[in-house]
Amino acid sequence: MLKRNALLTYLNQGYSMLIGILVMPFLYNIMGPVAFGIIGFYTVIQIFINVLDSGLSPTLCRVIAASSGNTKTTTRTLKSFETISLLVFAVIFFSSYLLSDQILKYWFKGNEIITETIIALLFFIVSSRLIASIYRAALQGKEDFLWLNAGTILFNTIKYPVCTYIMYREPSLELYFQIHVAATVLELLIFRLRVANRLSLSFWLPGRFYIAELSENRKYILSVAFTALVSAATLHLDKLLFSNILLPEEYGYYTMCITISSAMITLGFPIGAVLIPRLTKLYASNQQKQFLSLYHKSAMFVAAVLLPVGVLVALFSRQVLLLFTSDPVAAEWGETILTLYILGNSVAIVTAFQYYLQVAIGDLKEHVRYNKLLLVTYIPLIFFFAYFYDVLYVAFLSFSFKLASFLLWQWYVHHKTRVVTHKAWFSCSILPSLLMCCLVSGLTVFFGINKIQLTTLVLLITMALLYAAIVLGALVLAKLLNKETLVNVESR
């Protein structure tokens, strides 16, 4: 069941990422860098507004996953969280509608391509995602991944390839957001119907708010919400700030770099979505052997299969940007920026395992401490370097903090929780792929392969061969380093 769910989720994410990658060059060339930058701003705003839901969705998923059936607690928790998300949606949408003129004047500085109508449409979409997140969390908790992934693929098809085709026929930024509004409303209705079916509820729930259910999970909700807010600021505050700092064309180039590098986070997301409910069940039922085996094997998979992707894109960043934009100016402007951001995101998907561990055991104390540290150190530095230096300094700062988190914080959490032995986890699950990435990268740079101007076909073949070399080499190294099974190492 777990393998099937992971496979389905990865097919969904793979499809979503693939169509995103395929439509990006078309959107960039059809709409132009300025309009493409507005679409990037829309994505960043969506991420920050989703933070408002971040304490609710993981809690609901955990409550449903831990319950054996459709209990009264599950129903009341869903009703309470749904009511909260509806209220937050109303506040955000109507506030943005009333303040649209000020947003245009002070943030976009009178950019003629964006109008008050576009602002209203944009905030309607992003705020409605709060409600959709509640329904997705309920279906994840029920491990209804087949339906969830099928529905996601359907609506991503409408939002990306279908919408891009319409843009090709009639380029219009306002029409772009109108299509997304229509798809979002339909998605909400269908997902709500599925939740009602899976949890044996009426289709429309009256607005009820159960204080007892919220209070019971208050500590967990606040912990997740706080850490999600800081995490969002850590990952995306620079993107929001640069929408105000950079020239419109430069923000379009920057958006392309961010969109490509964010593919790594997209690749890592299915791991957490599938792992957290299962790890929670295994830990709650005291199945330590199965828990450790799953934790190790999942980390090994991420390191061996996903980490090389980010490393190779970083090596060929200039060629990749040229492939996506057909714009030498954009490729030259964003080469180093893309390299730093995608390496940082590649490291981040491995570091995320300490978060999965803490969520599974139901104790986010260390995660809260970490985010408090980021709040007083990293976030002020983002403001400083963004406003007093430039985007390259911020990109380097982002990479440095993510690398430090991987080297130091992952070890610290393993040590404090005393559930996983960090030395065994690192040497058996991470080190083989890490060594191969360093070896192949060193040889590629030494022979100057990444500096040669390659045709699209030759570039893709070269990257595929290097990827295969890393993965196969990592498997060989893993066999040499793993003389005993991971579980036996942990059991000692």
Side-chain angles (χ1 to χ4, degrees), residues 65 72 125 144 158 214 335 342 372 394 413 463 488:
K72 181 182 292 186
I125 299 167
D144 192 9
I158 297 172
L214 188 64
E335 179 182 3
I342 199 162
K372 287 179 179 178
V394 175
V413 170
M463 293 179 70
N488 288 336

Side-chain angles (χ1 to χ4, degrees), residues 129-408:
R129 301 304 298 167
L130 297 172
I131 309 169
S133 296
I134 295 295
Y135 302 151
R136 289 178 181 277
L139 296 176
Q140 285 177 5
K142 294 296 291 184
E143 297 192 66
D144 192 9
F145 288 100
L146 177 61
W147 193 95
L148 179 60
N149 289 311
T152 302
I153 287 173
L154 171 64
F155 288 104
N156 280 337
T157 301
I158 297 172
K159 293 175 183 178
Y160 296 103
V162 172
C163 184
T164 301
Y165 175 74
I166 296 173
M167 290 301 99
Y168 173 74
R169 300 298 299 269
E170 187 179 346
S172 168
L173 191 60
E174 185 172 322
L175 179 59
Y176 176 89
F177 285 110
Q178 288 173 348
I179 294 169
H180 277 251
V181 166
T184 299
V185 172
L186 183 61
E187 181 182 14
L188 283 175
L189 293 174
I190 293 177
F191 272 68
R192 182 60 185 81
L193 181 62
R194 181 63 178 182
V195 170
N197 177 264
R198 293 290 286 143
L199 295 178
S200 302
L201 304 171
S202 60
F203 173 71
W204 181 255
L205 290 178
R208 294 289 302 276
F209 187 82
Y210 295 91
I211 296 295
E213 306 304 332
L214 188 64
S215 299
E216 184 177 342
N217 297 285
R218 180 187 59 185
K219 185 177 181 180
Y220 185 81
I221 293 171
L222 292 176
S223 297
V224 174
F226 170 75
T227 56
L229 176 60
V230 178
S231 296
T234 302
L235 291 171
H236 305 290
L237 179 61
D238 48 353
K239 306 169 185 60
L240 182 62
L241 294 178
F242 285 126
S243 68
N244 178 251
I245 296 171
L246 294 175
L247 297 173
E249 292 81 4
E250 289 180 334
Y251 191 69
Y253 305 152
Y254 177 76
T255 298
M256 181 59 76
C257 295
I258 294 304
T259 305
I260 296 172
S261 63
S262 295
M264 291 307 302
I265 302 298
T266 303
L267 282 172
F269 172 77
I271 289 292
V274 173
L275 266 185
I276 288 175
R278 182 53 58 94
L279 286 175
T280 301
K281 285 186 177 181
L282 292 175
Y283 187 84
S285 58
N286 200 29
Q287 299 182 55
Q288 183 180 12
K289 184 176 180 180
Q290 293 86 338
F291 179 93
L292 292 173
S293 177
L294 178 60
Y295 187 79
H296 277 291
K297 289 178 180 178
S298 301
M300 184 182 295
F301 173 81
V302 167
V305 177
L306 303 187
L307 188 59
V309 176
V311 171
L312 290 173
V313 173
L315 283 172
F316 295 91
S317 56
R318 183 183 181 88
Q319 292 93 324
V320 170
L321 280 171
L322 195 58
L323 175 65
F324 277 93
T325 64
S326 301
D327 187 348
V329 176
E332 183 178 357
W333 189 92
E335 179 182 3
T336 306
I337 294 168
L338 174 58
T339 297
L340 292 170
Y341 271 119
I342 199 162
L343 285 177
N345 287 346
S346 301
V347 171
I349 63 173
V350 179
T351 311
F353 274 83
Q354 51 81 23
Y355 173 71
Y356 304 153
L357 175 63
Q358 292 180 72
V359 174
I361 65 179
D363 185 359
L364 292 173
K365 179 175 61 178
E366 301 304 331
H367 195 57
V368 171
R369 285 181 178 175
Y370 173 69
N371 282 276
K372 287 179 179 178
L373 179 64
L374 292 179
L375 185 63
V376 298
T377 57
Y378 179 63
I379 292 177
L381 286 174
I382 290 179
F383 278 96
F384 176 76
F385 284 110
Y387 280 103
F388 292 99
Y389 289 89
D390 60 29
V391 62
L392 187 59
Y393 284 85
V394 175
F396 183 77
L397 176 70
S398 174
F399 169 72
S400 300
F401 264 80
K402 289 171 183 175
L403 181 61
S405 297
F406 168 68
L407 295 175
L408 301 176

Side-chain angles (χ1 to χ4, degrees), residues 105-138:
K105 181 178 179 181
Y106 294 106
W107 192 263
F108 291 104
K109 301 173 183 177
N111 190 338
E112 294 180 358
I113 199 171
I114 186 167
T115 64
E116 293 183 15
T117 301
I118 291 176
I119 292 291
L121 293 172
L122 186 155
F123 277 95
F124 177 89
I125 299 167
V126 296
S127 56
S128 66
R129 301 304 298 167
L130 297 172
I131 309 169
S133 296
I134 295 295
Y135 302 151
R136 289 178 181 277

